[in-house]
Amino acid sequence: MIIEPARLADLPYLLRFRSDAAKWLAALGTDQWSTPFPADHIAASVQAGEVFLIRAAEGAEPAATVTLDHKTDPELWDLWTPEERAEPALYVHKLTVDRRYAGQDLGGRILDWAGDRAARQGARWLRLDAWTTNTRLHKYYVQQGFEHLRTTSDPDEVSGWIAQRSARRVQHGFDDRTLTHRSSDQ
């Protein structure tokens, strides 16, 4: 499988990932991602070089996507303590696997790639937040080696379950085209 930076031309795929995931999650009984994500926000992340696509082969439709950046979303900033915010970390957002690739541990491999990338960039942690009520997702992340730090008690915060794991160099098995390719505006 190939991992590469997303381009603006990939925006329809990125929006479809989100809407398909919301439908699947609704069938599981959660309202996670039920509100459409603003396309301009995703486009800004693509232009910043923070969004990546995973393809089974050259030219194939994307199998998965992940956003990886050096900060958490501004509305979630207060979930992390000042000491935690001061530590070098990369933050995983919007990890989505096409249902055709479910059950193949693609999500785990993407998390390994993200942790490897974080380590290569000198980060100590790979961090994420998750939908507060999605206990199935919490269990998944714990199984992937994340340590649950806390869950906010703020009823208005829907993505207040936070966790981290050490950034470390690993073999993830991807043909990583993110190290040499940086064209997010095509």
Side-chain angles (χ1 to χ4, degrees):
M1 293 202 127
I2 300 164
I3 189 162
E4 61 190 11
R7 301 171 301 143
L8 286 177
D10 297 316
L11 195 56
Y13 289 118
L14 299 169
L15 294 171
R16 190 184 79 212
F17 271 123
R18 180 76 174 213
S19 63
D20 288 353
K23 289 174 192 169
W24 175 70
L25 289 163
L28 295 176
T30 178
D31 65 347
Q32 181 172 342
W33 289 3
S34 59
T35 303
F37 209 72
D40 60 333
H41 186 87
I42 295 173
S45 293
V46 169
Q47 289 178 310
E50 300 168 343
V51 182
F52 304 94
L53 290 175
I54 296 82
R55 299 178 191 273
E58 184 77 39
E61 283 196 13
T65 184
V66 66
T67 300
L68 186 63
D69 58 30
H70 290 91
K71 61 189 180 321
T72 190
D73 291 330
E75 62 272 11
L76 302 173
W77 189 245
D78 62 338
L79 295 176
W80 302 93
T81 68
E83 295 79 18
E84 289 165 342
R85 292 190 305 253
E87 296 174 316
L90 285 186
Y91 294 83
V92 174
H93 309 279
K94 302 172 194 77
L95 172 59
T96 312
V97 174
D98 186 293
R99 300 309 309 153
R100 293 174 296 163
Y101 294 89
Q104 300 177 29
D105 194 34
L106 184 53
R109 289 179 56 206
I110 293 168
L111 291 169
D112 286 345
W113 170 82
D116 182 76
R117 186 177 184 90
R120 288 176 189 265
Q121 294 182 5
R124 180 174 179 203
W125 301 107
L126 181 63
R127 292 184 171 149
L128 54 80
D129 60 84
W131 207 254
T132 305
T133 59
N134 191 339
T135 57
R136 182 177 174 179
L137 185 59
H138 304 164
K139 289 177 190 174
Y140 173 78
Y141 284 131
V142 169
Q143 290 170 347
Q144 294 298 319
F146 283 85
E147 176 188 357
H148 173 236
L149 299 178
R150 65 191 151 276
T151 302
T152 182
S153 59
D154 181 349
D156 295 325
E157 183 52 69
V158 296
S159 195
W161 186 92
I162 62 170
Q164 67 184 13
R165 77 178 193 192
S166 295
R168 60 188 180 277
R169 301 280 302 265
V170 297
Q171 295 295 320
H172 46 71
F174 289 120
D175 175 0
D176 189 347
R177 299 189 181 173
T178 68
L179 303 173
T180 56
H181 181 3
R182 174 87 166 102
S183 179
S184 61
D185 57 356
Q186 298 177 351

